[in-house]
Amino acid sequence: MAFVWFLLVFSLSLAVIPLKAEIQVNQSRVHLKIHHVHGPESSLIQNVSFSDLLLRDEERVKSLKSILVKNTNRNRGSSSLSSDLSKRSNHWSSAKSLNIPLNSGLSIGSGNYYVKIGIGSPVKYSTMIMDTGSSFSWIQCKPCAVFCHSQTDPVFDPSSSKTYKTLPCYASACSSLKESTLNSPLCSSSNKCIYTASYGDSSYSIGYLSQDLLTLSQSQTFPNFIYGCGQDNEGLFGKSAGLLGLARDKLSMIAQVSSKYGFSFSYCLPTATSSSGGFLKIGKNPSVMTSSFKFTPMVKDPRESSSLYSLKLAAITVAGLPLRVSAAEYKVPTIIDSGTVITRLPLSLYSALQSAFVKIMSKKYAEAPAFSILDTCFKGNVKSMTSGVPEIAMVFPGGAALRLSASNMLIQAGDGVTCLAFAASSEITVIGNHQQQTFEVAYDVANSRIGFAANACR
């Protein structure tokens, strides 16, 4: 049976949600209520194979690894892909706080989370993948000179926007593309700057570096937003219109609005059964000063890209007991990522976690065969596993921790089969979005720290 996953949809469309009921405005913030994708107001539901989602998740992790090691062509794809993309490009090219709603589901065919932002004058709203692992934002644009994948919203037409313009090759933003996308910019015969955003699963977008009005709510607009207007967009983007980059690079959306809001944001990723949904808050948030938040420093490893959000994992406990591994086993790059679903651990840590978890779980639940990359599985459904499930905690320096409930630890892999939502990797730890669900995760970039608060999607 196809497994319906979850996504986040930022619902600002007046045709769907009455704005007066959904937006609360005061001098310090805009708060937008959110709804689950499987709720009565959702019309985007689509079935996606869970096996396919796990395969895509593996490609996502490969992409992150390629960023960390900064391979010789500084490209998320292979050298052959880089060459092919260049050929394709040449062929066709001759302070306040803002809250944005998020909903859960896989309704547009991807395992990531989504927001809906507005581009242009007059504004046109589009559903975008929200990605803390990417620095560059892009959207599919008419005339789709080479190819546009199918998307839920109408494809953006830049000719209909009074504020749209392409940027020339001599623009400083064009020179910044190499750092943001890990691909060198190209230049068209008419002196238009061309970007290439490529990813580890061989997905990519190629188009014109552009500038236009960004709208996050009716009262929150930002002129001169820099993004990519994609003319050749192929790969595993589901039915989204594009990608919204939230990483630390200066071309990310968060960096571009930081002059107004400061360089900080937070989100809460809801579960598929959440009645209240989730949110994306941009700007300084008074709630992060409360005792419910615990912070840990962001770290910068010489091997890591400056754009990824990294931290140190100090320990993992199962039922309150630390794993039987040496402290040295934790000394690998650790990143937190909104686009990875399943948390990855180095083999030594994963094996110790698996052993400790199975020892307790097997007292009540029968073990089941592996499912794709998930090899710690049990007979039964997540909803029925209400007792006998040991708590897993991921502990960080400074007192911050992710103390995981059963819904954060386990995932339904099929009828009658539930698996631990962790998998083995090599030379990297990635904290996936399944483990982040219902926590408010605060990225205080200005003060170089990351914070967690439990039970925040309310």
Side-chain angles (χ1 to χ4, degrees), residues 210-453:
S210 303
Q211 184 175 285
D212 210 336
L213 182 71
L214 170 68
T215 298
L216 297 178
S217 75
Q218 284 187 323
S219 61
Q220 303 292 335
T221 60
F222 304 86
N224 306 320
F225 175 63
I226 296 171
Y227 66 103
C229 204
Q231 298 296 319
D232 187 6
N233 319 282
E234 304 191 42
L236 302 177
F237 303 113
K239 290 188 177 181
S240 68
L243 186 147
L244 189 66
L246 301 181
R248 288 193 284 184
D249 184 81
K250 61 185 176 182
L251 287 186
S252 77
M253 188 273 280
I254 293 298
Q256 291 191 57
V257 302
S258 64
S259 60
K260 181 174 183 178
Y261 292 118
F263 209 149
S264 63
F265 68 100
S266 67
Y267 57 65
C268 186
L269 308 180
T271 66
T273 57
S274 172
S275 60
S276 57
F279 54 77
L280 169 65
K281 298 178 181 178
I282 300 173
K284 293 182 179 179
N285 177 14
S287 68
V288 304
M289 303 304 294
T290 66
S291 59
S292 61
F293 265 92
K294 300 296 183 182
F295 283 88
T296 189
M298 289 184 186
V299 299
K300 176 65 168 62
D301 188 290
R303 296 167 293 178
E304 298 178 21
S305 165
S306 61
S307 66
L308 297 176
Y309 293 105
S310 302
L311 63 171
K312 288 184 179 179
L313 179 61
I316 296 176
T317 64
V318 178
L321 299 176
L323 298 183
R324 294 184 175 182
V325 297
S326 68
E329 301 299 329
Y330 291 99
K331 293 182 179 180
V332 297
T334 300
I335 63 176
I336 183 167
D337 182 43
S338 68
T340 301
V341 178
I342 305 298
T343 287
R344 302 308 202 280
L345 297 172
L347 182 59
S348 60
L349 287 181
Y350 176 74
S351 296
L353 173 64
Q354 181 186 49
S355 177
F357 191 76
V358 170
K359 183 178 180 180
I360 298 175
M361 281 288 286
S362 61
K363 294 178 181 179
K364 186 169 182 178
Y365 303 100
E367 293 185 56
F371 189 99
S372 183
I373 63 171
L374 305 177
D375 61 3
T376 306
C377 301
F378 305 89
K379 294 179 180 179
N381 297 315
V382 171
K383 292 182 179 180
S384 66
M385 293 182 175
T386 56
S387 64
V389 180
E391 179 192 81
I392 295 175
M394 306 182 75
V395 183
F396 308 95
L402 287 172
R403 301 191 183 280
L404 306 177
S405 65
S407 62
N408 292 113
M409 293 183 287
L410 302 172
I411 194 166
Q412 194 75 39
D415 289 340
V417 177
T418 295
C419 298
L420 181 65
F422 288 76
S425 183
S426 61
E427 302 178 347
I428 184 175
T429 293
V430 183
I431 302 171
N433 60 44
H434 191 74
Q435 281 65 41
Q436 298 175 52
Q437 287 175 7
T438 73
F439 288 87
E440 183 170 0
V441 184
Y443 296 77
D444 186 358
V445 183
N447 293 303
S448 192
R449 60 180 188 163
I450 295 174
F452 305 100

Side-chain angles (χ1 to χ4, degrees), residues 98-212:
L98 177 67
N99 297 3
I100 300 176
L102 302 173
N103 284 324
S104 174
L106 228 214
S107 59
I108 57 177
S110 175
N112 298 314
Y113 290 90
Y114 294 79
V115 296
K116 199 160 190 174
I117 64 167
I119 297 289
S121 304
V123 62
K124 302 294 182 183
Y125 287 100
S126 297
T127 304
M128 307 277 283
I129 297 172
M130 185 192 82
D131 189 6
T132 60
S134 296
S135 296
F136 187 67
S137 303
W138 59 266
I139 186 173
Q140 296 196 120
C141 289
K142 290 184 177 180
C144 298
V146 178
F147 181 78
C148 284
H149 59 261
S150 176
Q151 66 177 62
T152 299
D153 311 294
V155 176
F156 179 66
D157 185 356
S159 66
S160 67
S161 174
K162 299 176 183 178
T163 47
Y164 174 83
K165 69 176 183 179
T166 56
L167 295 181
C169 300
Y170 58 79
S172 60
C174 187
S175 301
S176 298
L177 281 173
K178 178 69 176 291
E179 185 174 354
S180 296
T181 67
L182 306 186
N183 292 298
S184 298
L186 300 172
C187 196
S188 74
S189 57
S190 56
N191 199 38
K192 294 179 180 179
C193 182
I194 298 171
Y195 75 89
T196 301
S198 56
Y199 307 93
D201 60 0
S202 297
S203 299
Y204 61 85
S205 173
I206 304 171
Y208 296 113
L209 187 64
S210 303
Q211 184 175 285
D212 210 336

